[in-house]
């Protein structure tokens, strides 16, 4: 794993380590590049959580200068939660700041946080799964996104409660989300956070990667979603093997010069 383009520093509300400490770990792992895609999140109560971007870019510039001699590219980034629901504010931020990596994620289904098992309360699990991918298909058509993150994230809340899902029961919504990514030239991310966590889980990942290839996808961005130094580039080899076994290629962000060798 040479690139990790989805990580979080202490400029995210749920992360633990500084940009400098994360970069130091990236150098130890001999990475070519690391991107800090800190959260911009809109909450159901109307509040918005976002980094102090002036300080973020100042610290990022310092890290770029400090780690340049180690051959590490330190990239700016942002992860928007449900950006399709906040288009005007997203466009304003993209006009104000020059991000290297722009990620879109589905974090909310209405007022329900998809990271929590309570997202399933009172609903059939497959209805929730289908709704997640239907939302993702809308998000994936938004302009300006480089990738859609953690396509499997909804299952991480569902698996402890219901066991491994039968992905074919939501094949239609999943395929439509993948087709939207390909149509909009938006990369699919294989998030390595939960790879090999559950016995048989990677078979579900393989099925989705096969469907992505069927949709015309060729490249997958493999990222850790690290929120602390110990998580940088985690399970990277597993992720690369899954992608290559599916006839796909690992990729950075095509619009960046270093992305394809």
């Amino acid at each position: 794993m040479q690139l990790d383009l989805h990580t979080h520093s202490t400029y995210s509300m749920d992360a633990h380590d500084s940009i400098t400490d994360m970069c130091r770990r990236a150098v130890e792992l001999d990475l070519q590049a690391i991107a800090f895609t800190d959260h911009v999140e809109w909450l159901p109560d109307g509040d918005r959580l976002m980094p102090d971007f002036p300080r973020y870019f100042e610290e990022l510039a310092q890290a770029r200068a400090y780690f340049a001699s180690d051959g590490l590219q330190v990239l700016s980034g942002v992860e928007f939660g449900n950006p399709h629901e906040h288009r005007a504010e997203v466009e304003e931020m993209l006009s104000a700041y020059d991000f290297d990596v722009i990620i879109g994620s589905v974090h909310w289904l209405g007022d329900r946080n998809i990271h929590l098992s309570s997202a399933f309360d009172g609903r059939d699990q497959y209805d929730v799964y289908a709704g997640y991918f239907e939302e993702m298909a809308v998000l994936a058509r938004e302009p300006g996104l480089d990738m859609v993150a953690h396509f499997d994230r909804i299952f991480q809340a569902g698996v402890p409660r219901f066991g491994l899902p039968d992905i074919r029961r939501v094949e239609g919504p999943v395929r439509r989300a993948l087709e939207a990514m390909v149509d909009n030239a938006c990369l699919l991310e294989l998030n390595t956070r939960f790879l090999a966590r559950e016995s048989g889980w990677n078979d579900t990942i393989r099925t989705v990667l096969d469907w992505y290839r069927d949709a015309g996808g060729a490249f997958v961005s493999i990222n850790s979603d690290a929120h602390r130094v110990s998580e940088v580039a985690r399970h990277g080899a597993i992720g690369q093997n899954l992608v290559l076994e599916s006839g796909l290629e690992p990729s950075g962000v095509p619009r960046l010069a270093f992305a394809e060798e």
Side-chain angles (χ1 to χ4, degrees):
M1 190 166 180
Q2 296 178 308
L3 315 172
D4 199 346
L5 302 182
H6 181 178
T7 75
H8 298 276
S9 73
T10 46
Y11 288 97
S12 288
M13 59 283 187
D14 56 352
H16 301 270
D17 293 300
S18 69
I19 287 175
T20 298
D21 288 341
M22 298 282 278
C23 287
R24 188 171 292 114
R25 178 58 176 158
V27 170
E28 291 173 356
L29 295 170
D30 200 28
L31 298 189
Q32 289 181 349
I34 185 170
F36 293 96
T37 50
D38 284 304
H39 289 291
V40 173
E41 202 72 36
W42 291 267
L43 305 183
D45 62 7
D47 196 12
R48 181 180 69 184
L49 302 176
M50 62 182 291
D52 179 343
F53 279 124
R55 289 184 58 193
Y56 163 90
F57 276 100
E58 180 180 352
E59 185 172 343
L60 200 80
Q62 293 170 352
R64 281 175 173 161
Y66 186 84
F67 291 100
S69 61
D70 294 300
L72 179 69
Q73 291 186 315
V74 181
L75 304 174
S76 65
V78 62
E79 181 183 4
F80 290 119
N82 290 48
H84 54 298
E85 297 175 348
H86 307 276
R87 180 175 293 179
E89 291 180 82
V90 168
E91 290 177 353
E92 181 180 354
M93 273 182 267
L94 294 181
S95 296
Y97 301 106
D98 186 17
F99 297 110
D100 295 313
V101 180
I102 303 166
I103 295 175
S105 299
V106 176
H107 287 160
W108 301 89
L109 292 176
D111 62 353
R112 298 195 182 197
N113 187 333
I114 63 93
H115 301 84
L116 306 177
S117 64
S118 58
F120 296 89
D121 287 353
R123 298 188 63 193
D124 178 83
Q125 70 192 84
Y126 287 99
D127 287 344
V128 176
Y129 294 153
Y132 176 79
F133 289 104
E134 288 164 358
E135 198 77 16
M136 185 173 288
V138 177
L139 177 148
R141 296 189 184 279
E142 284 294 291
L145 297 180
D146 293 311
M147 70 183 76
V148 173
H150 47 56
F151 69 85
D152 59 338
R153 190 61 182 85
I154 189 63
F155 297 124
Q156 307 312 323
V159 166
R161 187 164 173 176
F162 306 108
L164 289 173
D166 178 359
I167 190 67
R168 296 189 182 279
R169 290 186 60 177
V170 287
E171 180 173 352
V174 173
R175 283 188 181 271
R176 286 191 288 275
L178 298 172
E179 288 164 1
M181 294 176 208
V182 173
D183 290 346
N184 198 31
C186 182
L187 286 173
L188 170 70
E189 178 194 71
L190 175 56
N191 193 296
T192 63
R193 183 174 185 177
F194 292 100
L195 293 186
R197 180 186 180 191
E198 300 282 345
S199 177
W201 175 246
N202 289 353
D203 291 336
T204 299
I205 300 295
R206 289 186 183 93
T207 298
V208 174
L209 291 174
D210 288 345
W211 291 345
Y212 179 66
R213 188 192 62 236
D214 291 346
F219 298 99
V220 178
S221 186
I222 305 170
N223 302 309
S224 71
D225 195 8
H227 283 64
R228 60 185 79 221
V229 293
S230 61
E231 298 168 349
V232 174
R234 59 184 160 187
H235 305 318
I238 298 174
Q240 289 204 44
N241 286 337
L242 286 169
V243 168
L244 293 171
E245 288 169 1
S246 296
L248 301 165
E249 291 291 335
S251 176
V253 177
R255 66 187 174 86
L256 298 181
F258 70 86
E260 306 298 346
E261 296 181 343

